[in-house]
Amino acid sequence: MEAKDVSEAEDRAEDPGSKNKSQPDAAQPDFPPGGQTPGPTALWEMLERKFLEYQQLALRSPAEQQKSLLNLLPLFLKAWEHSVGIICFPSLQSLAEEVSNQFAQEIQKALVGKPAEQARVAAGKLLQWKGDANVDQDGYLLLKSVYVLTGTDSETLGRVAESGLPALLLQCLYLFFVFPLETDELLESDVQVQRMLVQMLLNICGEAQSLEGLLSGNELQSLMIATTCLREHSCCFWKEPTFCVLKTISKAQNIGVIQYLQAMDCIKISLQNLSRLVDTLPAPEVSEVVNLVLGFVKDSYPISSALFLEFETGEGYPLLLKVLLRYDGLTQSEADPHLEELLGLVVWLTTCGRSELKVFDSITYPQLEGFKFHHEASGVTVKNLQAFQVLQNVFHKVSDPILCTKVLSCIRTMWTWNARNFFLLEWTLQPISQFVEIVPLKPTLVQRHFFQMLEALVFELRYVPHEILRKVQRLIQDSPESLCTLVALQSILRIAGGDPLFTDIFRDSGLLGLLLAQLRKHAKILRKSGNKEVNPGVQDTERELTCVMLKTVVTLLKGSVRNAVVLKDHGMVPFIKIFLDGECYRAASLSILEQLSVINAEEYMSIIVGALCSSTQGEIQLKLDLLKSLLRILETPKGRAAFRVSSGFNGLLSLLSDLEGSLQEPPLQTWGAVSPSQTLDLVLHTLCALSAALYLDPVNGDFFRRTGLFEKLAEDLCLLGCFGALEEEDAPPPSQEDTKARLFADLLSEAFSSASLFPPKIQSCLQILSFLDSMARGTLHLRRDLKDAPRTRQELAVDPQRAEPGSDPQGSFKQWPDLEERTDDSDAVIMHPGVLCIMVRLLPRLYHEDHPQLSREIQCSMASHIQSMVKSEKNRQVMCEAGMLRTLMTSCHKALTTSSSPLHSGLIRIFEKLASQAIEPDVLRQFLGLGIASPPSTATKILSSSHVHGGDSGCPGSQTAMPVPAEGSAVAPGDAGPHPASTQALRPMGPSQTSTTTLQTALSLISMTSPRNLQPQRAALAPSFVEFDMSVEGYGCLFVPTLATVMGTSTEYSVSGGIGTAHPRRAPSLTLPIQ
């Protein structure tokens, strides 16, 4: 019968304890007239009364007694059904004895003297519901009544067992299982009979006294042997119930059952039968029967090892191996529960043994910290090597991925029981060492699972298996299968990164040298192919293998100077450079070069700077990756020094100069394929590298200033294409606007917003200004991504004098004040004043004719921002030393002379603040002569004097003395250099200086020379003496500011400084120098 029909019939069948509506009672009990069924109590009382009457019929014939008893059964079942399974019957044991005896007689009568096939038919007819009220239903009534009685209590169950009924029921089960009916029809009554019969046997097996009744004959032996030798002829409908009953008998752990099975040679005969049929039956069916036999062995082992010894002597281990090998090659779409159970039983067999295994301690050192070998046996340990060899042989002989991974999982389970099991097995049978040799022949899934086990040894047991790792290294060297080598190297990579100890272990074992040799070979191949990746989107095992090799070398170099020396001694630097062109190899290659910078930073810098300069315009990602690597090395003082020696500054500036015209609208043809965001990202990282190289490094800062690189940086930024051109000197003055400019920080934030409405060129200008502003503060390295919003109002640089000497070397330019110290721009410390001079130089170039109002707003906002930056005494000092005043006079000359310009007042205020700190004579003379036309001869002398005094100022415009045209005019990009023509610079701004300009100059001079109230309620400090040399003119001048101070009668503060301590006097508003 098909299994589908069985399941459908079982679904249609009702619970055997409930009455089937299609099956009326065989004999209805006599109820009082009226038609209503009495209640449960009345039914039990009626049954008690009739059963007493039955007991008084002892003198009647057996046939009459049998008939009277059968007449009681419908009433008993009716009372049981109405009582919801609760029996209230005092004579229950007596009834159970009578019914079970009667049922045993009926079964014996049906089976005696008949062949097996006929006996099976007779037993089926006896127990089956006939479906006709006129047909005898005695067998079914007896079956159902005994079923109810066996489910009550142990005493009642004992009365049933005394009748000999358990052995007869087991015999019926044997007949039903071994001799299937020819018809395939399955009735609901058959399902009910099966359930009641099986449940009766399960109830009997639950009691030790009742279980003894199953051992009176050879029924149990026959049933058990039938499961192992007649499986191909058995009834599938009765297979599962039969196995269920036998497993229940096994779990009963009764010593009588063990002795019975041993005496009847059940295990031995079953093993012999299975050995003959193992090659003919399907593997799942064979494993199911083997699980049944091994279940008896396992359940009996805590009580007696007799069945276990019988299993061993009966060639049980070879049978297990044969069964497991049958699974090789089978397509297992889903997990096979029989295979899982069988492997679990084999794992259990490994723990069966009389004594612990004795092995010698053969641990190879060094070992990881925390490793400890436990000599004492704790937990579950392996004692049976024969059982383990079954698993070991299965892995050796099969190639099925599911079976192999399950075997490996079983072995790992033993390690979890007790870490000592690994050493017991490895020092006796060497399973893992042997598996390394054959793992290349296994599927990839098995390879990955195996190397995960190897990693578990290291990370979970904290053990370094030196011998196994040497075999893995030979596997990598021989490369029998490239995919297996890849999996092995990936595992080695994870292991090497687990502990620094492996950097020494893998160097001493030769693995590092092996990888370097392989990489040399791959680099030569890559160079011959022209560094062109074939199908970069397609998975390539060789390419992945090279990537993993590079990553492994990176891991072995970290923190190990010795390994870096080994790499350099192998001459690998030129070959590592080859991998820089491949995007998939670049990250690891750069990491290797970064590790080499520990022993030779100059070589690293030469490689990176050379690669930057030799890269093409389209290799944007290569440049970005190189710059990011450079930033990491520039964190160390050694790296910054090597950067300067290796012409790193010039290399980065050439990188910027190569971007000429990339931010134009539209961009130059050569930059058509590069987006503005990519260009700005490259500008950002370039400025980051410059900022990192200058940060807290006075030598680099002095070099950058002396060699005029600030001027070069300003030129390169002007040539990007987003800044405007200089305005012609005779251009009409801008119209005054009353619109209040937004804060500079707000403009920068909007420029980085995805919803920004700024024109592209202006947006690019603002982003570059944001980079420069952060660079001036020394915090640009915090902004390594364009997605990061500007932090103009929060990020403040740390005063280098306050930096702690014992700070982390990684944070050499990452030391920041607390948030409460970050108040506003006036508290910011200017780290790179030359960069702020560049911003001043770019100020007039922020004007765009197509967006005049927005341009003026940005210019005014930036001027206000610069003014707030020079509030502190220290910032004024560094800005004066950097030549900020000269830059203002040179780059913003027109705004300073044009009082109607929106920038005029802001720039005048900046000039006054800085001039009160320190000012050079020629710059002061240029300021006093704003708007005055100078004679040609005087102009020439002034220009010559400016070169003498300002040649080393180190800021944009320090090499020119007189002002240049300021704000944007339509000139060629070549006019953006730092050396405009002197004739243009000296051209008069107007017919004569107006009274307004003269008054403003006088007021500015007073402001510059007036005392500054730095601390209220205390003495005010006057500016320093202004002393300058005018030997070129034939005379000198000494300016004494306190003589020119204007003090009112309500003055509350005393003035210190200047000359003398006389009382302040009233003076004219404009004091001329004393000659």
Side-chain angles (χ1 to χ4, degrees):
M1 184 180 295
E2 296 295 334
K4 180 179 178 181
D5 299 334
V6 175
S7 60
E8 291 178 353
E10 290 178 348
D11 292 338
R12 292 193 304 268
E14 296 180 355
D15 180 59
S18 63
K19 178 181 176 182
N20 193 323
K21 296 180 181 179
S22 63
Q23 299 176 2
D25 294 333
Q28 294 289 342
D30 297 330
F31 295 134
Q36 293 184 353
T37 303
T41 304
L43 290 175
W44 289 118
E45 291 176 353
M46 184 184 304
L47 177 64
E48 179 69 18
R49 185 173 60 257
K50 290 192 174 186
F51 183 71
L52 292 176
E53 294 175 358
Y54 163 77
Q55 289 179 325
Q56 295 174 359
L57 300 176
L59 299 179
R60 292 187 180 184
S61 63
E64 293 177 345
Q65 289 183 347
Q66 177 183 357
K67 183 177 180 181
S68 299
L69 180 63
L70 292 175
N71 289 335
L72 292 176
L73 296 183
L75 181 60
F76 169 72
L77 296 175
K78 180 67 69 174
W80 175 72
E81 290 176 0
H82 283 68
S83 302
V84 198
I86 300 176
I87 299 178
C88 301
F89 186 56
S91 304
L92 182 63
Q93 284 76 31
S94 300
L95 177 64
E97 182 177 355
E98 294 290 338
V99 173
S100 57
N101 287 332
Q102 184 64 42
F103 192 27
Q105 292 176 10
E106 293 295 328
I107 294 176
Q108 288 177 342
K109 187 188 302 182
L111 301 181
V112 66
K114 295 179 182 177
E117 290 81 358
Q118 296 179 7
R120 192 263 180 257
V121 176
K125 289 182 178 180
L126 173 67
L127 304 179
Q128 186 181 28
W129 175 263
K130 277 60 173 189
D132 188 355
N134 298 323
V135 180
D136 182 17
Q137 306 287 353
D138 296 346
Y140 179 82
L141 288 176
L142 289 169
L143 172 66
K144 189 170 184 179
S145 300
V146 175
Y147 160 75
V148 173
L149 292 170
T150 54
T152 53
D153 52 54
S154 58
E155 186 177 356
T156 304
L157 192 60
R159 293 292 183 94
V160 174
E162 292 174 358
S163 65
L165 186 59
L168 292 172
L169 294 177
L170 198 62
Q171 185 177 0
C172 291
L173 179 62
Y174 168 78
L175 293 173
F176 292 150
F177 173 66
V178 175
F179 302 101
L181 296 176
E182 295 181 358
T183 176
D184 292 336
E185 184 181 1
L186 183 64
L187 304 177
E188 293 184 7
S189 60
D190 296 331
V191 177
Q192 284 196 343
V193 169
Q194 181 192 81
R195 290 183 175 178
M196 289 190 290
L197 178 63
V198 171
Q199 189 59 48
M200 289 164 55
L201 288 171
L202 295 181
N203 292 337
I204 292 171
C205 295
E207 291 289 333
Q209 180 182 359
S210 305
L211 186 60
E212 296 293 336
L214 298 175
L215 311 177
S216 57
N218 61 350
E219 290 82 6
L220 178 58
Q221 180 200 31
S222 301
L223 185 61
M224 188 170 178
I225 293 176
T227 59
T228 60
C229 66
L230 298 175
R231 294 265 306 152
E232 66 273 19
H233 305 297
S234 60
C235 178
C236 61
F237 176 62
W238 284 93
K239 177 191 71 175
E240 185 177 350
T242 302
F243 275 69
C244 182
V245 171
L246 289 175
K247 289 180 180 179
T248 305
I249 296 174
S250 172
K251 293 183 182 301
Q253 296 185 3
N254 187 285
I255 187 63
V257 174
I258 298 173
Q259 294 174 351
Y260 174 88
L261 295 176
Q262 186 179 9
M264 304 296 288
D265 290 332
C266 293
I267 301 298
K268 180 180 179 181
I269 298 174
S270 298
L271 294 176
Q272 292 174 353
N273 292 337
L274 288 171
S275 298
R276 289 194 301 266
L277 299 175
V278 66
D279 295 328
T280 59
L281 297 178
E285 294 187 12
V286 176
S287 61
E288 184 180 11
V289 182
V290 173
N291 293 339
L292 178 64
V293 176
L294 269 178
F296 279 95
V297 176
K298 179 181 178 181
D299 294 331
S300 65
Y301 189 78
I303 302 175
S304 171
S305 61
L307 297 185
F308 171 71
L309 296 176
E310 191 171 340
F311 173 82
E312 285 192 322
T313 56
E315 300 295 325
Y317 298 117
L319 174 63
L320 291 177
L321 180 59
K322 288 182 180 180
V323 175
L324 290 173
L325 292 179
R326 287 292 311 280
Y327 278 94
D328 188 26
L330 293 183
T331 303
Q332 302 180 44
S333 57
E334 57 185 15
D336 184 357
H338 304 306
L339 176 60
E340 294 279 354
E341 184 180 0
L342 180 59
L343 288 173
L345 290 170
V346 175
V347 171
W348 168 80
L349 284 173
T350 61
T351 64
C352 299
R354 296 181 180 179
S355 60
E356 300 287 337
L357 297 176
K358 302 297 181 181
V359 294
F360 294 100
D361 185 352
S362 58
I363 296 176
T364 304
Y365 290 89
Q367 290 295 329
L368 296 175
E369 183 180 357
F371 169 74
K372 183 180 179 182
F373 176 69
H374 299 278
H375 292 274
E376 66 278 2
S378 59
V380 181
T381 57
V382 175
K383 304 182 183 69
N384 188 351
L385 293 181
Q386 278 186 286
F388 184 83
Q389 284 178 315
V390 172
L391 297 175
Q392 190 174 2
N393 291 331
V394 168
F395 189 85
H396 274 276
K397 296 180 179 181
V398 304
S399 58
D400 181 74
I402 296 180
L403 182 56
C404 287
T405 53
K406 289 182 183 298
V407 170
L408 293 176
S409 299
C410 292
I411 297 175
R412 188 168 180 179
T413 300
M414 300 176 195
W415 297 353
T416 59
W417 293 344
N418 189 342
R420 193 166 179 265
N421 285 336
F422 165 75
F423 301 100
L424 295 178
L425 295 170
E426 195 62 29
W427 294 342
T428 52
L429 301 177
Q430 296 84 38
I432 306 302
S433 297
Q434 294 179 12
F435 290 173
V436 175
E437 300 172 358
I438 62 174
V439 75
L441 306 176
K442 304 295 180 181
T444 305
L445 177 65
V446 181
Q447 295 171 1
R448 296 188 185 280
H449 201 91
F450 171 77
F451 285 107
Q452 288 174 3
M453 290 181 60
L454 183 58
E455 296 169 34
L457 289 177
V458 177
F459 299 127
E460 296 177 11
L461 304 188
R462 304 296 298 170
Y463 173 70
V464 181
H466 290 273
E467 182 61 32
I468 297 175
L469 290 177
R470 279 193 290 269
K471 289 192 174 184
V472 173
Q473 182 174 328
R474 285 196 292 270
L475 183 150
I476 296 172
Q477 182 177 6
D478 298 338
S479 298
E481 180 65 37
S482 58
L483 189 57
C484 181
T485 305
L486 174 62
V487 176
L489 258 182
Q490 290 171 340
S491 179
I492 291 295
L493 173 60
R494 289 187 288 268
I495 291 174
D499 196 276
L501 178 63
F502 288 103
T503 60
D504 297 328
I505 291 176
F506 289 136
R507 180 191 64 248
D508 298 338
S509 67
L511 178 64
L512 178 58
L514 170 64
L515 295 178
L516 295 179
Q518 293 289 336
L519 288 175
R520 182 193 298 267
K521 183 173 64 175
H522 286 286
K524 291 180 179 179
I525 297 173
L526 195 62
R527 182 171 56 188
K528 290 181 180 179
S529 63
N531 291 337
K532 300 297 182 181
E533 296 184 24
V534 181
N535 298 327
V538 180
Q539 185 178 7
D540 185 359
T541 304
E542 289 297 329
R543 184 170 63 238
E544 292 183 17
L545 187 60
T546 304
C547 290
V548 177
M549 286 183 180
L550 288 169
K551 292 177 182 178
T552 306
V553 172
V554 171
T555 304
L556 296 180
L557 291 182
K558 284 183 179 178
S560 177
V561 178
R562 292 182 61 186
N563 287 358
V565 173
V566 170
L567 186 142
K568 188 169 178 60
D569 291 344
H570 276 69
M572 287 298 298
V573 175
F575 298 98
I576 297 299
K577 289 167 57 177
I578 297 174
F579 291 112
L580 290 178
D581 293 328
E583 189 171 351
C584 61
Y585 311 131
R586 188 176 302 149
S589 303
L590 288 173
S591 297
I592 293 174
L593 294 176
E594 291 169 18
Q595 299 299 324
L596 288 176
S597 68
V598 177
I599 59 177
N600 193 341
E602 288 79 6
E603 183 178 19
Y604 166 82
M605 289 298 173
S606 299
I607 294 173
I608 298 300
V609 173
L612 282 171
C613 295
S614 62
S615 58
T616 62
Q617 288 181 333
E619 294 177 324
I620 300 295
Q621 190 59 47
L622 172 61
K623 297 176 183 179
L624 290 175
D625 293 337
L626 293 172
L627 288 171
K628 291 175 183 178
S629 174
L630 181 61
L631 279 168
R632 290 189 287 269
I633 302 303
L634 287 175
E635 295 179 0
T636 63
K638 187 177 180 180
R640 293 193 288 270
F643 179 75
R644 180 186 68 254
V645 174
S646 305
S647 301
F649 288 114
N650 291 326
L652 292 185
L653 292 180
S654 68
L655 193 63
L656 282 179
S657 63
D658 289 342
L659 296 176
E660 179 179 355
S662 58
L663 293 179
Q664 285 184 195
E665 287 293 334
L668 296 180
Q669 184 177 2
T670 55
W671 296 103
V674 181
S675 65
S677 62
Q678 290 177 306
T679 302
L680 289 170
D681 202 12
L682 186 57
V683 172
L684 167 62
H685 284 83
T686 305
L687 295 178
C688 277
L690 289 173
S691 178
L694 295 174
Y695 186 77
L696 293 183
D697 196 314
V699 179
N700 281 0
D702 181 67
F703 174 83
F704 202 83
R705 179 184 61 82
R706 285 189 297 102
T707 53
L709 296 181
F710 280 112
E711 294 89 336
K712 180 68 169 61
L713 177 58
E715 290 179 20
D716 294 336
L717 293 177
C718 289
L719 297 177
L720 289 175
C722 58
F723 292 98
L726 290 175
E727 192 174 1
E728 293 184 1
E729 196 72 18
D730 53 357
S735 58
Q736 286 282 6
E737 296 286 347
D738 296 333
T739 306
K740 185 178 180 181
R742 286 171 283 182
L743 292 175
F744 190 61
D746 296 339
L747 292 173
L748 297 184
S749 298
E750 185 176 350
F752 283 92
S753 172
S754 59
S756 175
L757 301 178
F758 287 143
K761 292 179 67 174
I762 293 182
Q763 185 175 9
S764 299
C765 289
L766 286 172
Q767 291 185 6
I768 293 175
L769 290 175
S770 176
F771 302 157
L772 292 174
D773 184 56
S774 298
M775 185 177 177
R777 301 164 185 263
T779 60
L780 187 58
H781 49 284
L782 289 179
R783 299 265 312 280
R784 297 188 182 177
D785 194 335
L786 284 174
K787 297 178 182 178
D788 296 340
R791 304 173 58 185
T792 309
R793 297 188 61 84
Q794 287 89 18
E795 58 179 17
L796 300 175
V798 171
D799 188 343
Q801 297 178 357
R802 290 189 241 164
E804 298 182 6
S807 59
D808 182 8
Q810 292 289 338
S812 58
F813 56 99
K814 295 182 181 179
Q815 302 166 354
W816 316 113
D818 295 334
L819 288 177
E820 56 268 15
E821 299 180 16
R822 303 182 180 185
T823 54
D824 54 29
D825 292 334
S826 62
D827 294 332
V829 176
I830 299 175
M831 302 298 297
H832 305 306
V835 179
L836 201 60
C837 291
I838 295 176
M839 295 178 66
V840 172
R841 184 182 179 89
L842 295 177
L843 182 59
R845 293 180 176 271
L846 295 177
Y847 183 79
H848 296 79
E849 294 181 351
D850 47 352
H851 301 283
Q853 186 175 351
L854 179 60
S855 300
R856 294 299 183 191
E857 181 184 10
I858 294 174
Q859 286 179 317
C860 294
S861 178
M862 181 170 147
S864 176
H865 172 69
I866 296 175
Q867 178 181 336
S868 66
M869 291 283 288
V870 295
K871 283 184 179 180
S872 67
E873 182 81 13
K874 187 168 186 178
N875 285 353
R876 294 183 189 182
Q877 180 181 354
V878 296
M879 292 313 301
C880 287
E881 293 175 355
M884 178 72 149
L885 287 171
R886 190 179 303 278
T887 304
L888 281 169
M889 292 300 302
T890 305
S891 301
C892 303
H893 182 266
K894 182 178 180 182
L896 290 172
T897 58
T898 307
S899 59
S900 61
S901 172
L903 293 175
H904 179 77
S905 60
L907 294 180
I908 287 291
R909 185 59 181 149
I910 295 173
F911 193 95
E912 292 172 359
K913 287 178 177 291
L914 296 178
S916 65
Q917 176 68 35
I919 186 171
E920 296 181 2
D922 58 330
V923 177
L924 177 60
R925 185 174 57 184
Q926 294 177 40
F927 178 75
L928 295 176
L930 286 176
I932 299 176
S934 303
S937 60
T938 308
T940 306
K941 294 177 181 179
I942 292 175
L943 182 61
S944 175
S945 174
S946 300
H947 280 286
V948 172
H949 289 280
D952 289 336
S953 63
C955 69
S958 63
Q959 298 177 5
T960 62
M962 294 304 292
V964 297
E967 301 175 51
S969 62
V971 296
D975 297 334
H979 304 291
S982 59
T983 56
Q984 182 184 4
L986 300 174
R987 191 167 52 199
M989 301 301 296
S992 63
Q993 184 180 20
T994 63
S995 59
T996 304
T997 306
T998 306
L999 178 61
Q1000 179 62 60
T1001 304
L1003 293 175
S1004 297
L1005 185 61
I1006 294 172
S1007 175
M1008 290 185 285
T1009 57
S1010 297
R1012 288 157 294 160
N1013 184 17
L1014 298 180
Q1015 297 176 337
Q1017 309 301 330
R1018 295 187 182 181
L1021 298 177
S1024 306
F1025 291 103
V1026 178
E1027 184 177 358
F1028 48 92
D1029 181 14
M1030 289 190 176
S1031 57
V1032 234
E1033 302 293 337
Y1035 60 90
C1037 177
L1038 176 66
F1039 186 79
V1040 186
T1042 51
L1043 297 180
T1045 304
V1046 179
M1047 304 290 289
T1049 57
S1050 60
T1051 301
E1052 299 178 358
Y1053 310 120
S1054 60
V1055 178
S1056 62
I1059 61 171
T1061 57
H1063 294 287
R1065 64 179 178 85
R1066 297 180 181 276
S1069 59
L1070 179 60
T1071 304
L1072 297 176
I1074 303 174
Q1075 297 194 17

